[in-house]
């Protein structure tokens, strides 16, 4: 509640400082600190970093400032959970170490203190059991947000996710909907070995009845988690451990407690005209870096942040492919039957963009092996920026030395 | 010299003569060659055993100087190894997850003393010491932790995935509870092959609530499998105390129809006695549960400080009163089996051994790039996917 009040105050204060409607959103780090804004932040006790760039006229209380706020993915998820729990008393959290331990990755920090043990529940290490219980609660109409410490452990509970959650609305012909969210880190971390590194996007996305989301930035994390919690269907929300600590700039629109992103819509992170690179989660960051490298070689890449794996934003992907005529898909997961394979088929056959392709679709994926532990082997088992650059060049018929 | 030989060659009937000779030996500053003395010594366990649906084994444990010194040496080695792993993790030479066993050494060592290498052991991710107890070398441990070729899994497994098939050590598992049905499967195969051996499936108090455990136990009991389920109860499942996770923290009773024994897991001799008892039981009557009351000094893993959910006083209290290495040290000293200096020398030797192994492991190379694609299958498919 307090969080929302603070944010509303900030918004109103911002409006006073920024009479102009359009605000430049820039990453500029050369900040000319506006003392006015600094005082404002001290008064409101805002913990998030504020970087101010651009001209700042402080003679009066009237200042031009291009204000950019930074927020980590962790903060984004925490604030989204906080706001949704505050807005709807039916929402509760369940998972291992989510309460007293403040969350294994600190995503649920402070929520036990705020909402009490009836709404933030620490479970024993029994995924099959507590997932089944959560799905049953969702049948009844309350809204559980189940945390898997990593999605590798969701395999213990996958029967309940698929058979009990995903299929029930259909089997009951609409009588019983399952407003549940399964969230947690997915994919490879660093040096955690074969049993803790798998990406489950393709598995869950193949199942009708589930919605599968994969945020990249803090904006994604906030908007998509809010959308997932509000959605009446079971949503699998695939986070990434290595992204938790990364900061992204966000606008005050994102900070609003009613902010929400639509499920099923991708985002064009970088507009381009020569090749489309479609990725999700951490690979979006890699794709953006690859685009910078490609730009130096005169290739203008368009980077699509999928955001939603099920449903896939087929129209955006295909509109992009029809524009650029070249497609590279990037995922960290195992290659066979993966998201890349689905996008290839969709673009080529289903949406009939085949005629628009000037080169075969390139699929970048993790190596077809269980994740090794040794640092050099692990590096080889996941896509690197160079792999994406090489693939994009191949689609542009550039030789790869 | 003659006196010591007399003393060392004494067998069952000569315990009294050994006693007579003892003061003489000390007076002449002659020492029996302690490392090979097998004169039986009887020691009482710290607490009596508590049982569920079975008899309790006797509190009096037969041991000897050789065994006690082996216990001391092995546990001190494990202790030093885990502490060294802590430093290596902080120096970023070990990556990912690292779950340390210091405090729990008595379980690994006591169990090993009761069984043979024909018996199988399977455990979860806190597996470094269990691996060493099964015959793994320090180099194999440190090289694997650092992801090098000389590691027991050639660098491909990491801390949670140590294996030693030739000693019937089956890992090393990352998914909580999964190793228990796997262990019952090993027991099944032993019975199927008529091997007259048993399997010890170790799990923690956190894993004790896993449903798959009860499913596997049910089948093991129905089919009389020689499975021994060992709950290493260190009282915390990651950050959650046992009373917050388990309705019934009497883990030795949770087998219901399956008998169980509660054991002081910080007393290597009690562990040995219980495992001997359990092996005999399992071979005749099917599964049995052993609950080892033990404690870990470190947090759940290197990412967990271990002090947010328990007090430092609790940790130091256990260290002072129940430390397994100290218990054996006191026993050795009180039975005059070695001097303080001799024990300290052993510890110095161990320190050097550990340091040498680490130095060797640091020099060891990373795996070859081609290793990325090996061992996916036992029998190759002839087709390999490679990505440019």
């Amino acid at each position: 509640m307090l969080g929302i009040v603070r944010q509303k105050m900030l918004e109103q204060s911002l409006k006073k400082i920024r009479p102009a409607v359009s605000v430049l959103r820039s990453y500029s780090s050369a900040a000319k600190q506006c003392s006015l804004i600094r005082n404002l932040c001290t008064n409101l006790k805002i913990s998030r970093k504020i970087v101010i760039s651009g001209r700042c006229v402080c003679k009066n209380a009237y200042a031009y400032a291009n204000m950019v706020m930074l927020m980590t993915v962790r903060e984004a998820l925490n604030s989204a959970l906080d706001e949704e729990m505050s807005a709807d008393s039916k929402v509760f959290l369940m998972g291992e170490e989510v309460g007293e331990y403040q969350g294994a990755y600190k995503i649920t920090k402070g929520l036990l203190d705020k909402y009490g043990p009836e709404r933030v529940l620490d479970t024993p290490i029994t995924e099959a059991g507590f997932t089944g219980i959560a799905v049953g609660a969702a049948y009844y109409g309350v809204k559980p947000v189940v945390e898997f410490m990593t999605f590798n452990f969701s395999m213990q509970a996958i029967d309940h996710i698929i058979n009990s959650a995903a299929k029930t609305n259909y089997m009951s012909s609409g009588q019983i909907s399952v407003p549940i969210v399964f969230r947690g880190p997915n994919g490879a971390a660093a040096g955690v070995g074969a049993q803790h590194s798998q990406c489950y996007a393709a598995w869950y996305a193949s199942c009708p009845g589930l919605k599968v989301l994969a945020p990249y930035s803090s904006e994604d994390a906030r908007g998509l988690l809010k959308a997932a919690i509000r959605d009446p269907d079971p949503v699998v929300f695939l986070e990434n451990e290595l992204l938790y600590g990364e900061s992204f700039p966000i606008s005050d629109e994102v900070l609003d407690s009613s902010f929400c992103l639509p499920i099923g819509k991708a985002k064009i992170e970088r507009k381009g005209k020569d090749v489309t690179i479609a990725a999700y989660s951490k690979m979006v960051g890699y794709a953006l870096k690859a685009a910078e490298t490609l730009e130096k070689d005169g290739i203008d890449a368009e980077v699509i942040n999928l955001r939603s794996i099920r449903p896939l934003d087929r129209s955006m992907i295909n509109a992009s492919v029809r524009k650029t005529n070249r497609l590279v898909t990037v995922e960290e997961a195992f290659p066979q039957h993966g998201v890349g394979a689905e996008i290839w088929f969709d673009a080529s056959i289903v949406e009939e963009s085949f005629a628009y392709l000037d080169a075969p679709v390139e699929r970048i994926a993790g190596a077809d092996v269980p994740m090794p532990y040794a640092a050099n082997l692990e590096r080889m088992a996941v896509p690197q920026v160079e792999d994406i650059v090489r693939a994009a060049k191949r689609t542009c018929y550039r030789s790869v030395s | 010299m003659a006196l010591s030989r007399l003393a060392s060659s004494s067998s069952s009937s000569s315990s009294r003569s050994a006693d007579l000779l003892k003061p003489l030996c000390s007076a002449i500053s002659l020492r029996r060659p302690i490392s090979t003395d097998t004169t039986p010594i009887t020691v009482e366990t710290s607490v009596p055993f508590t049982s569920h649906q079975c008899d309790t084994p006797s509190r009096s444990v037969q041991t000897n100087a050789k065994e006690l010194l082996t216990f001391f040496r092995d546990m001190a080695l494990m202790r030093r190894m885990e502490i060294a792993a802590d430093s290596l993790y902080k120096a970023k030479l070990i990556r990912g997850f690292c779950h340390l066993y210091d405090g729990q050494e008595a379980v690994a060592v006591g169990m090993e003393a009761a069984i043979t290498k024909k018996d199988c052991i399977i455990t979860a991710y806190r597996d470094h010491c269990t691996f060493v107890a099964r015959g793994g070398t320090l180099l194999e441990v440190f090289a694997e932790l650092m992801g090098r070729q000389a590691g027991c899994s050639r660098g491909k497994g990491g801390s949670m995935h140590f294996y030693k098939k030739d000693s019937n050590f089956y890992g090393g598992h990352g998914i909580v509870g999964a190793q228990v049905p796997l262990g019952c499967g090993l027991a099944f195969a032993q019975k199927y092959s008529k091997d007259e051996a048993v399997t010890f499936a170790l799990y923690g108090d956190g894993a004790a609530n896993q449903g798959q455990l009860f499913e596997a136990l049910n089948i093991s009991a129905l089919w009389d499998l020689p499975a021994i389920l060992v709950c290493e109860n260190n009282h915390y499942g990651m950050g959650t105390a046992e009373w917050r996770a388990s309705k019934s923290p009497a883990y030795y009773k949770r087998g219901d129809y399956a008998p169980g024994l509660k054991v002081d897991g910080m007393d290597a001799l009690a562990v040995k006695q219980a495992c001997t008892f359990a092996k005999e039981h399992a071979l005749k009557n099917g599964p049995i549960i052993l609950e080892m009351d033990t404690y870990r000094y470190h947090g759940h893993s290197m990412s967990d400080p271990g002090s947010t959910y328990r007090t430092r006083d609790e940790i130091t209290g256990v260290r002072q009163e129940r430390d397994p290495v100290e218990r054996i040290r006191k026993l050795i000293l009180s039975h005059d089996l070695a001097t303080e200096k001799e024990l300290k020398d052993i510890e110095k030797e161990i320190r050097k051994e550990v340091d040498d192994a680490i130095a060797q492991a640091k020099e060891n190379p990373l795996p070859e790039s081609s290793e990325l694609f090996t061992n996916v299958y036992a029998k190759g498919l002839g087709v390999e996917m490679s990505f440019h």
Side-chain angles (χ1 to χ4, degrees):
Chain A
M1 186 58 197
L2 208 57
I4 298 165
V5 169
R6 260 194 259 135
Q7 278 144 30
K8 290 247 176 281
M9 280 172 67
L10 173 62
E11 261 177 65
Q12 281 154 17
S13 318
L14 286 178
K15 286 195 181 101
K16 282 188 217 139
I17 296 169
R18 260 191 302 111
V21 171
S22 66
V23 179
L24 261 170
R25 306 202 189 297
S26 69
Y27 286 62
S28 169
S29 55
K32 212 170 183 193
Q33 299 279 327
C34 171
S35 59
L36 194 85
I37 293 171
R38 221 183 314 149
N39 291 337
L40 189 78
C41 297
T42 324
N43 294 340
L44 293 176
K45 292 197 183 57
I46 293 181
S47 61
R48 298 167 186 109
K49 271 188 277 189
I50 297 191
V51 171
I52 303 160
S53 68
R55 238 168 17 118
C56 181
V57 176
C58 280
K59 288 273 165 65
N60 316 315
Y62 191 74
Y64 290 101
N66 296 328
M67 217 164 87
V68 174
M69 279 185 72
L70 289 177
M71 191 190 250
T72 61
V73 171
R74 182 177 282 116
E75 287 173 328
L77 293 167
N78 183 273
S79 60
L81 286 169
D82 191 349
E83 287 161 23
E84 292 306 301
M85 286 181 79
S86 168
D88 185 347
S89 60
K90 290 205 178 112
V91 178
F92 67 96
L93 306 185
M94 199 190 248
E96 292 154 13
E97 312 293 0
V98 294
E100 288 191 17
Y101 199 81
Q102 308 298 320
Y105 299 100
K106 306 291 179 259
I107 306 298
T108 52
K109 188 172 180 183
L111 297 177
L112 172 66
D113 282 340
K114 201 162 168 188
Y115 296 102
E118 279 176 12
R119 293 184 69 194
V120 179
L121 297 126
D122 277 326
T123 63
I125 310 175
T126 53
E127 279 77 3
F130 70 70
T131 306
I133 287 173
V135 174
Y139 283 179
Y140 197 78
V142 290
K143 296 183 181 179
V145 178
V146 176
E147 176 176 303
F148 291 117
M149 203 180 279
T150 75
F151 263 91
N152 301 280
F153 313 143
S154 74
M155 290 200 288
Q156 288 210 332
I158 204 166
D159 173 64
H160 281 302
I161 298 173
I162 306 297
N163 279 330
S164 304
K167 299 179 183 173
T168 297
N169 197 61
Y170 185 88
M171 294 189 292
S172 68
S173 71
Q175 289 180 65
I176 301 181
S177 77
V178 191
I180 192 168
V181 176
F182 304 103
R183 52 158 294 272
N186 174 60
V192 292
Q195 292 179 338
H196 288 74
S197 303
Q198 196 165 331
C199 172
Y200 293 87
W203 283 22
Y204 288 122
S206 73
C207 186
L210 283 181
K211 293 177 182 169
V212 181
L213 302 175
Y216 161 62
S217 62
S218 301
E219 181 183 325
D220 292 352
R222 258 183 75 81
L224 293 176
L225 185 54
K226 279 166 169 291
I229 294 173
R230 295 177 202 179
D231 198 279
D233 290 311
V235 180
V236 172
F237 193 81
L238 304 171
E239 302 159 7
N240 186 289
E241 191 210 319
L242 298 176
L243 285 177
Y244 283 151
E246 265 198 47
S247 293
F248 293 87
I250 48 163
S251 65
D252 27 278
E253 185 201 341
V254 175
L255 281 177
D256 189 274
S257 61
S258 64
F259 175 69
C260 200
L261 284 174
I263 293 180
K265 287 263 161 290
K267 179 185 179 198
I268 297 186
E269 294 283 345
R270 182 190 194 281
K271 271 187 121 52
K273 57 175 177 40
D274 293 331
V275 57
T276 301
I277 306 178
Y280 63 93
S281 189
K282 192 158 120 257
M283 293 292 119
V284 175
Y286 281 38
L288 288 169
K289 288 205 189 91
E292 279 173 31
T293 310
L294 288 164
E295 192 174 24
K296 297 194 191 106
D297 286 319
I299 298 176
D300 188 20
E302 178 152 289
V303 176
I304 296 183
N305 172 4
L306 291 171
R307 282 181 168 176
S308 180
I309 313 297
R310 186 180 184 102
L312 267 178
D313 192 346
R314 300 171 196 272
S315 56
M316 184 184 289
I317 298 168
N318 280 279
S320 178
V321 168
R322 288 175 191 218
K323 180 175 72 169
T324 65
N325 311 123
R326 292 157 216 279
L327 177 60
V328 176
T329 66
V330 189
E331 64 202 294
E332 213 176 38
F334 300 136
Q336 193 165 337
H337 305 301
V339 175
E342 173 62 27
I343 292 176
W344 178 95
F345 182 77
D346 181 74
S348 311
I349 310 301
V350 178
E351 298 280 327
E352 295 167 8
S353 302
F354 187 76
Y356 292 81
L357 286 169
D358 287 345
V361 175
E362 291 278 345
R363 167 178 65 183
I364 298 296
D368 195 34
V369 298
M371 184 67 70
Y373 167 70
N376 62 330
L377 298 184
E378 189 184 44
R379 195 180 183 279
M380 286 165 58
V382 285
Q384 304 297 333
V385 176
E386 309 88 72
D387 299 316
I388 306 173
V389 170
R390 270 202 298 275
K393 282 188 174 168
R394 274 195 302 270
T395 62
C396 297
Y397 312 139
R398 302 287 183 86
S399 66
V400 183
S401 48
Chain B
M1 216 40 212
L3 274 166
S4 7
R5 217 179 299 136
L6 241 170
S8 68
S9 59
S10 57
S11 48
S12 49
S13 59
S14 62
S15 47
R16 218 188 302 147
S17 45
D19 284 337
L20 285 171
L21 285 165
K22 223 198 299 187
L24 205 56
C25 284
S26 357
I28 314 174
S29 293
L30 283 173
R31 261 263 103 73
R32 302 188 283 286
I34 50 177
S35 55
T36 54
D37 185 1
T38 50
T39 321
I41 301 170
T42 308
V43 181
E44 292 253 299
T45 62
S46 59
V47 290
F49 298 97
T50 338
S51 70
H52 168 76
Q53 310 262 34
C54 67
D55 297 323
T56 51
S58 159
R59 250 185 109 168
S60 304
V61 187
Q62 293 279 67
T63 181
N64 54 55
K66 180 175 174 192
E67 182 171 74
L68 287 173
L69 272 133
T70 311
F71 279 5
F72 179 80
R73 194 174 200 291
D74 289 346
M75 289 199 285
L77 183 83
M78 290 172 183
R79 179 67 58 90
R80 184 98 293 273
M81 175 181 82
E82 295 293 72
I83 292 173
D86 177 310
S87 310
L88 289 174
Y89 191 89
K90 288 175 177 149
K92 297 208 197 303
L93 284 161
I94 300 178
R95 304 156 60 235
F97 293 133
C98 189
H99 305 87
L100 299 175
Y101 200 72
D102 52 317
Q104 300 183 213
E105 299 90 349
V107 178
V109 157
M111 181 180 293
E112 202 58 46
I115 61 177
T116 71
K117 293 290 192 285
K118 272 189 73 192
D119 299 305
C120 300
I121 298 184
I122 190 169
T123 186
Y125 41 76
R126 207 175 295 280
D127 58 351
H128 307 164
C129 299
T130 317
F131 171 75
V132 166
R134 285 262 95 179
T137 66
L138 284 173
L139 175 62
E140 283 176 316
V141 170
F142 289 117
E144 186 60 36
L145 289 174
M146 295 198 252
R148 311 293 173 101
Q149 282 182 19
C152 52
S153 299
R154 304 223 292 276
K156 286 156 70 157
S159 164
M160 297 184 286
H161 306 296
F162 284 16
Y163 301 87
K164 196 165 168 57
K165 178 102 186 264
D166 55 19
S167 303
N168 279 318
F169 175 58
Y170 287 85
H173 294 269
I175 306 299
V176 169
Q179 73 277 16
V180 177
L182 294 173
C184 295
L186 292 169
F188 175 87
Q190 285 172 319
K191 182 168 178 171
Y192 189 90
S193 316
K194 300 192 181 9
D195 279 349
E196 287 302 299
V198 296
T199 297
F200 287 81
L202 281 70
Y203 60 99
D205 47 292
N209 300 310
Q210 279 268 323
Q212 53 185 325
L213 209 135
F214 297 95
E215 293 185 25
L217 184 64
N218 178 53
I219 295 176
S220 304
L222 276 173
W223 297 348
D224 283 320
L225 302 182
I228 299 162
L229 275 61
V230 182
C231 179
E232 290 184 281
N233 182 8
N234 58 25
H235 308 283
Y236 296 94
M238 192 163 154
T240 305
E242 58 182 332
W243 60 270
R244 289 181 62 224
S246 304
K247 182 68 181 172
S248 161
Y251 299 104
Y252 70 107
K253 286 190 187 165
R254 299 255 233 131
D256 182 22
Y257 43 81
L261 207 60
K262 184 164 174 175
V263 185
D264 179 2
M266 306 297 260
D267 179 355
L269 291 167
V271 173
K272 174 185 137 178
Q273 186 87 318
C275 292
T276 312
F277 177 84
K279 176 168 174 175
E280 209 187 294
H281 184 281
L283 280 171
K284 284 202 303 261
N285 305 321
I288 180 171
I289 297 181
L290 295 179
E291 179 186 338
M292 304 288 180
D293 186 350
T294 183
Y295 200 82
R296 53 163 163 83
Y297 296 140
H298 269 88
H300 165 75
S301 72
M302 288 302 298
S303 328
D304 171 32
S307 50
T308 54
Y309 47 86
R310 49 185 195 171
T311 61
R312 288 196 196 282
D313 284 341
E314 181 186 289
I315 305 170
T316 39
V318 175
R319 215 187 263 276
Q320 274 161 12
E321 273 152 58
R322 298 179 66 205
D323 187 274
V325 184
E326 287 317 301
R327 170 188 296 281
I328 297 294
R329 190 200 302 268
K330 281 194 199 112
L331 254 177
I332 290 174
L333 293 175
S334 71
H335 279 86
D336 208 24
L337 305 173
T339 60
E340 275 232 37
K341 184 180 181 304
E342 279 167 332
L343 294 181
K344 284 249 183 310
D345 286 340
I346 292 177
E347 284 180 302
K348 274 208 203 102
E349 240 177 75
I350 284 170
R351 253 203 132 95
K352 185 171 186 305
E353 243 182 85
V354 168
D355 290 339
D356 286 345
I358 292 177
Q360 222 187 325
K362 279 184 183 164
E363 295 299 307
N364 204 256
L366 288 167
E368 297 291 322
S369 298
S370 56
E371 283 287 320
L372 180 64
F373 291 107
T374 57
N375 310 121
V376 179
Y377 295 98
K379 184 172 161 185
L381 290 175
V383 173
E384 236 163 41
M385 306 204 71
S386 61
F387 289 85
H388 0 250

